[in-house]
Amino acid sequence: MGSAGLSPARTPAIVLAALLLAPTLAAARILRVPEDHRTVRAAVGAAGNRDTILIAPGTHEGGAFVDRKSLTLASRFLTTGDTSFVSGTVLRAAADDMCAGFPGCVGRSVIEFGAGAHGSAVIGLTVTGGEDGIRSQAMVEITNCHVVGNGDGVDFVSGSGGTFRKSLFAWNRDDGIDLNGRIQARIIDNDIRENRQDGVEYRLHAYRGPAQTIEFIGNRIVGNRSDGIQLIDYPDVSNRIIRIEGNLFSANGDAAVGCLPDGRTIEDFGGAAVAERVFLIGNTFTGERHGLIGGGNVVALNNIFTGIRVSAMRRVKGNSVASSNLFWKNGIDLDECTIEPSGVVRADPRLDRAGLPMAGSPAIDGGVAFFAWRGDTLLNIPPSGYTGRAPDLGAVEVGRAARPAQPARRSN
């Protein structure tokens, strides 16, 4: 296993560990598995609020239920920044008796967080072999994890959320990320790939209350069998904003972003006039069957749609608006859409194999920094937010740090 010494590549994780642990070291404990407690479940039972459970490399039995306290479950990646600890520290499967004596526990998950576990975190672990990998009723952070080979990778229900960052959600039998109802979440810089259904499934169950925002920013959403992101509509109109920004979509089986009506989850390409506002800004769609299907309140700006076999945008209607999008070699650019997009570019975006614009690409400096519509400012990017005369089209601003390499494909 790798050493604990500092290197430039490891520094961000070391900083993360310091930020997480420094404020609480005086009051909290670090419980080690298996040195202090033989199993993760035993350590969770013995832990107090704000404790950290540090798990040694190897394969450990899952089935841990956390409630009425905030815990961090982590591999030695947390303290070393060595990424080899992520794949080398595995929590596998759920225990049959994991819910014994715990009200509110659903079970069948590798890790489950009850409604009283707000502020918990999962860092640097491989989570596999459960009906759900990570299930939560609370606000929980997931960072630098591999959530693979489960039913749903994560299943977060109403009242939950958190930030999912720099993690792999792949090869799950259903969805990579399953979100339901009243969710406040940020899904940033992840690889969401090759799940048997959707990369992300988000059910917009009826909700009344303060505005809920969910953000999908800077992810690679690739090769999922159904939709990359699926938004499932219900009859009510809820106080939600959905931001889909700076993502690379490629080779998803049905649509990159699909909207479905009436609680349905089987993609039929009919679309739904989802009334909640969806910001679709600065994404790259390449090699898809469909790009965007549906939406009645979509703001589509600065996107690239190239090599879409059927339709780049289909049945985008209602109060939707589009400007400064690039279309190239798609079956149909605008299919049964009632919008009148402005600033359309129809030219070869000259993308490399990773989806980045090459020299001479019309995507470079091709976007808009400011966009207002019907008296409402929908986009206002300051000059510090781009490197040239104007923002680039698509998911990557040329001249900024390159996108992280995608993880290796599964070997089995």
Side-chain angles (χ1 to χ4, degrees):
M1 204 56 69
S3 71
L6 282 171
S7 73
R10 294 172 177 165
T11 300
I14 299 298
V15 172
L16 172 64
L19 290 173
L20 286 169
L21 293 179
T24 62
L25 282 176
R29 300 174 299 163
I30 297 177
L31 288 69
R32 300 172 300 165
V33 176
E35 296 90 339
D36 303 324
H37 298 274
R38 187 175 62 85
T39 66
V40 174
R41 292 179 66 198
V44 167
N49 188 41
R50 302 171 73 184
D51 283 351
T52 294
I53 296 172
L54 198 62
I55 304 168
T59 299
H60 304 263
E61 182 184 38
F65 179 64
V66 179
D67 199 15
R68 300 182 183 179
K69 52 191 171 186
S70 171
L71 297 181
T72 296
L73 283 70
S75 72
R76 292 177 184 169
F77 166 81
L78 177 66
T79 54
T80 67
D82 187 338
T83 56
S84 66
F85 285 116
V86 178
S87 58
T89 310
V90 180
L91 269 62
R92 179 181 296 277
D96 292 337
D97 61 345
M98 68 176 289
C99 290
F102 296 116
C105 178
V106 176
R108 303 183 299 277
S109 301
V110 181
I111 307 171
E112 182 174 346
F113 295 93
H118 293 296
S120 293
V122 184
I123 301 173
L125 296 172
T126 291
V127 179
T128 189
E131 185 172 310
D132 294 321
I134 301 171
R135 178 182 175 86
S136 183
Q137 302 174 55
M139 299 293 292
V140 172
E141 309 296 307
I142 301 173
T143 304
N144 286 98
C145 287
H146 293 173
V147 186
V148 298
N150 303 281
D152 284 328
V154 301
D155 188 351
F156 275 45
V157 300
S158 189
S160 68
T163 299
F164 308 166
R165 189 188 301 271
K166 294 185 181 295
S167 292
L168 169 66
F169 302 92
W171 314 308
N172 296 291
R173 297 184 301 278
D174 195 352
D175 306 315
I177 297 172
D178 191 339
L179 306 173
N180 301 275
R182 182 168 52 88
I183 296 284
Q184 192 94 2
R186 306 186 75 215
I187 298 168
I188 302 173
D189 193 15
N190 302 284
D191 286 277
I192 306 169
R193 59 186 298 128
E194 298 171 47
N195 297 286
R196 291 188 186 175
Q197 292 296 321
D198 304 312
V200 178
E201 179 185 285
Y202 179 23
R203 290 184 176 271
L204 282 68
H205 290 295
Y207 165 67
R208 292 290 182 272
Q212 299 283 302
T213 300
I214 185 164
E215 298 178 320
F216 303 93
I217 299 176
N219 303 285
R220 281 74 57 197
I221 304 176
V222 178
N224 301 285
R225 285 195 187 175
S226 186
D227 294 343
I229 296 176
Q230 185 174 95
L231 306 177
I232 301 177
D233 197 23
Y234 287 80
D236 74 307
V237 178
S238 57
N239 192 9
R240 292 182 169 98
I241 295 174
I242 301 162
R243 296 193 67 88
I244 302 172
E245 186 170 351
N247 304 281
L248 171 65
F249 295 90
S250 181
N252 296 288
D254 290 333
V257 179
C259 301
L260 280 80
D262 303 322
R264 301 205 303 261
T265 188
I266 303 302
E267 182 62 78
D268 63 4
F269 313 109
V274 174
E276 289 79 4
R277 175 152 281 182
V278 177
F279 287 91
L280 190 78
I281 297 176
N283 302 280
T284 297
F285 302 84
T286 178
E288 299 280 8
R289 182 176 183 179
H290 292 269
L292 168 67
I293 302 178
N297 198 2
V298 175
V299 178
L301 306 171
N302 294 352
N303 300 287
I304 294 174
F305 298 88
T306 181
I308 311 301
R309 298 190 302 280
V310 181
S311 57
M313 297 175 67
R314 172 171 167 76
R315 294 189 173 177
V316 182
K317 300 181 177 183
N319 293 318
S320 298
V321 60
S323 182
S324 300
N325 298 291
L326 184 152
F327 299 93
W328 181 249
K329 288 192 174 179
N330 305 308
I332 304 173
D333 292 339
L334 301 170
D335 181 11
E336 296 184 38
C337 297
T338 60
I339 57 174
E340 295 182 5
S342 61
V344 170
V345 178
R346 286 187 169 90
D348 184 352
R350 293 179 50 81
L351 304 180
D352 66 16
R353 294 183 64 182
L356 280 72
M358 297 185 292
S361 168
I364 298 173
D365 295 344
V368 293
F370 180 86
F371 187 82
W373 188 59
R374 295 180 180 176
D376 188 6
T377 297
L378 302 178
L379 184 68
N380 189 5
I381 305 173
S384 60
Y386 48 93
T387 58
R389 298 186 307 275
D392 296 340
L393 298 175
V396 177
E397 181 72 20
V398 175
R400 293 279 170 89
R403 177 187 296 113
Q406 294 184 4
R409 294 180 62 90
R410 183 173 54 176
S411 60
N412 58 350

